[in-house]
Amino acid sequence: MKILYGVQATGQGHISRARAMASALQQHDVEVTWLFSGRSAERLFDMEPFGDFEHRRGLTFATRAGNIRYLETITSNNIFEFWRDIRQLDLAPYDVIVTDYEPVTAWAARLADRLCIGIGHQYAFGNGTPVAGGDWLSRTIMRSFAPVSIPLGLHWHPYADNVLPPILDLPALPGDQRARHVLVYLPFEDQDRVTRWLQQVPDRAFIQYAGGLDHEMRGNVQRHPTSIASFKRHLAGSDGVICNSGFELISECIQWQKPVLTKPLAGQMEQLSNAMALQELGYASVMSSLCDATLRQWLVAPEQRPVVRFADVAATLAEWLASSCQRPVDELAQELWSNSLTTRHLPEPSPGPRSSIPNPTTEAFSA
């Protein structure tokens, strides 16, 4: 069986999920071609698990100082190149087409009238999922960015029967987990401003990661460029994490019981919605700005760590894909949630619609 697997590479979360899926798919008799877009090829790192992967420019959002810049987003994306890549992508060799919110793969499949399976956090945004900050533009982008035939959403709670627990790319926790520092990953913020903000609490040690940083000490702040191995090591040894409200890193923090202080990216509906869900579930503390008082308060009294153990979603999905996706999606979801553990009472999904955001499937375009 041959699988084409598209991955949106703008953020590390999609790539982290892809690493877990790559490892799980290696256990089956399948041949996987990985296609990444949304970030220039020279800025991708630690890509060994994906072999001789394909790359396209794709589409991405422009951000500055923690805010989405819609005008810059429009001017920085090349729609003509995007359309050309869609038209030229040859799907004929593949038995199964999968996308983790990667638009070239998704739109090529739609244009060719091929079934496309969506596996990713964005496909969890149905009527039962908490949604914040949505307007006409963000709703349109959400449902049209990477439309699929079969959406498998990932979230921290079973908001719908197509929603699975997170896919995690985590090693076993090391034996020595003595807390020594707070890990900080705010890649969409001004990094010098983040450092100055952390220096307002000189008696605490912080390790700050972001693309483009050098290895250096600035007072109580140790700065590092992005690196998968060292980041996971510092995550394991941290006594808390400060990050934007992306899905994957916070999922890893929940699994490893790390307190989280999160700042959603302003104007980004997915992150604002994640922050809303985290507050409802009691999984993180949320801030709207880099506030000194909020930082100090959280450092003194972080939220109680929930005991959560998500099931091995990657292994289950790899087997499902390798067996030609025979089992119903709702059956997969029920099995995975029943094999997950939490000691915290979770709210029941709302009986009525919570948002007007449909699952971003091809049916969203039928009107």
Side-chain angles (χ1 to χ4, degrees):
M1 174 184 288
K2 293 187 176 182
I3 299 173
L4 175 63
Y5 204 126
V7 182
Q8 173 67 14
T10 301
Q12 281 301 117
H14 301 270
I15 300 177
S16 181
R17 282 196 293 274
R19 285 193 179 91
M21 289 301 299
S23 177
L25 286 165
Q26 286 177 356
Q27 310 307 312
H28 300 274
D29 185 21
V30 296
E31 180 182 333
V32 185
T33 298
W34 297 91
L35 186 152
F36 295 85
S37 76
R39 189 192 311 188
S40 60
E42 60 269 17
R43 292 181 57 219
L44 296 171
F45 58 93
D46 294 337
M47 299 294 284
E48 293 80 7
F50 308 112
D52 188 17
F53 63 87
E54 298 283 327
H55 178 268
R56 303 293 187 277
R57 178 171 177 171
L59 301 173
T60 190
F61 290 100
T63 63
R64 187 188 302 169
N67 293 269
I68 287 183
R69 303 290 182 172
Y70 283 103
L71 181 59
E72 292 179 29
T73 295
I74 294 171
T75 58
S76 63
N77 283 299
N78 189 324
I79 300 302
F80 297 104
E81 182 178 354
F82 175 64
W83 180 247
R84 184 197 65 198
D85 288 342
I86 291 170
R87 301 276 298 185
Q88 293 181 352
L89 184 60
D90 183 12
L91 303 180
Y94 303 104
D95 304 295
V96 178
I97 301 168
V98 182
T99 182
D100 186 338
Y101 214 54
E102 195 288 306
V104 175
T105 305
W107 277 99
R110 184 168 188 263
L111 190 66
D113 198 24
R114 290 285 304 272
L115 185 144
C116 183
I117 299 165
I119 300 175
H121 179 51
Q122 288 80 3
Y123 299 110
F125 284 88
N127 285 336
T129 308
V131 172
D135 55 19
W136 175 85
L137 179 60
S138 58
R139 290 194 296 269
T140 301
I141 292 172
M142 172 68 80
R143 68 173 177 259
S144 63
F145 192 85
V148 297
S149 314
I150 302 176
L152 278 72
L154 307 171
H155 218 304
W156 302 303
H157 184 63
Y159 291 111
D161 58 9
N162 73 310
V163 175
L164 316 180
I167 294 173
L168 298 171
D169 177 36
L170 284 176
L173 268 171
D176 181 8
Q177 301 172 44
R178 290 173 294 178
R180 304 178 181 88
H181 56 263
V182 173
L183 182 64
V184 182
Y185 183 60
L186 296 164
F188 302 108
E189 310 292 330
D190 181 299
Q191 295 306 306
D192 288 337
R193 184 186 175 201
V194 171
T195 301
R196 292 192 298 270
W197 178 60
L198 300 172
Q199 288 172 337
Q200 301 303 307
V201 192
D203 59 331
R204 294 298 299 268
F206 299 95
I207 297 182
Q208 177 184 351
Y209 274 87
L213 293 183
D214 295 321
H215 291 284
E216 61 177 337
M217 288 294 302
R218 293 196 180 181
N220 61 320
V221 182
Q222 186 181 143
R223 306 202 337 168
H224 292 272
T226 45
S227 166
I228 298 300
S230 64
F231 185 88
K232 293 293 173 66
R233 185 173 64 251
H234 285 137
L235 174 61
S238 70
D239 64 352
V241 175
I242 301 172
C243 59
N244 290 122
S245 301
F247 180 69
E248 196 66 22
L249 174 55
I250 293 178
S251 298
E252 294 172 350
C253 293
I254 294 170
Q255 184 84 345
W256 273 357
Q257 301 177 52
K258 302 293 183 180
V260 173
L261 175 62
T262 184
K263 176 186 177 295
L265 181 61
Q268 219 272 19
M269 189 186 71
E270 179 195 350
Q271 292 214 3
L272 292 167
S273 302
N274 287 347
M276 180 180 177
L278 289 165
Q279 286 184 309
E280 290 187 359
L281 296 169
Y283 284 169
S285 299
V286 178
M287 60 181 175
S288 59
S289 63
L290 301 181
C291 172
D292 294 352
T294 301
L295 174 62
R296 293 176 185 276
Q297 181 181 4
W298 179 77
L299 290 170
V300 171
E303 78 283 351
Q304 180 182 358
R305 305 183 188 192
V307 178
V308 178
R309 290 290 182 271
F310 295 117
D312 189 345
V313 178
T316 299
L317 284 181
E319 180 180 357
W320 182 71
L321 291 171
S323 60
S324 301
C325 315
Q326 294 297 313
R327 296 177 62 191
V329 171
D330 59 345
E331 184 179 304
L332 289 178
Q334 185 176 9
E335 174 186 316
L336 287 165
W337 285 111
S338 66
N339 290 336
S340 298
L341 166 71
T342 178
T343 60
R344 174 166 290 179
H345 174 72
L346 299 179
E348 293 296 325
S350 172
R354 304 191 61 178
S355 78
S356 59
I357 311 298
N359 276 319
T361 66
T362 51
E363 286 75 12
F365 298 87
S366 61

